[in-house]
Amino acid sequence: MRAVPDSERPARLREGAPAAVASRPNCLAGTELAKLLSRFGINAEEKGCKCKSRAAHMDARGCDWCEANIDTIVGWLREEA
């Protein structure tokens, strides 16, 4: 695995990144996950699907929460599969 130069790293991971960038409180991980899944024909239109509420939950909590709770999110995906 090659070392990634600082110039290629996301802003949140760069040395000296501002705290606001590092915490990414306004990222929309749930929205982005929904967009990604829709590219594969997976949409939150099924009756009883919790995808939209879970995407909103992820968006509200931010990317740091999503990273810390990736096992929960994967569990949600398995549950809906």
Side-chain angles (χ1 to χ4, degrees):
M1 179 188 281
R2 76 176 180 91
V4 178
D6 204 41
S7 62
E8 292 179 27
R9 296 175 142 215
R12 69 182 181 83
L13 299 177
R14 290 185 195 138
E15 288 295 321
V21 173
S23 66
R24 300 168 295 146
N26 296 319
C27 87
L28 300 175
T31 298
E32 292 303 315
L33 178 59
K35 286 180 191 177
L36 178 64
L37 292 172
S38 72
R39 293 177 73 187
F40 296 98
I42 301 169
N43 297 298
E45 303 302 323
E46 301 272 332
K47 185 176 181 179
C49 177
K50 299 175 186 174
C51 296
K52 287 183 182 180
S53 66
R54 288 177 170 166
H57 182 90
M58 291 169 64
D59 288 348
R61 305 282 180 300
C63 287
D64 288 338
W65 181 91
C66 293
E67 282 185 24
N69 293 280
I70 192 69
D71 291 336
T72 297
I73 296 167
V74 170
W76 291 344
L77 292 169
R78 285 186 176 139
E79 185 180 302
E80 294 295 334

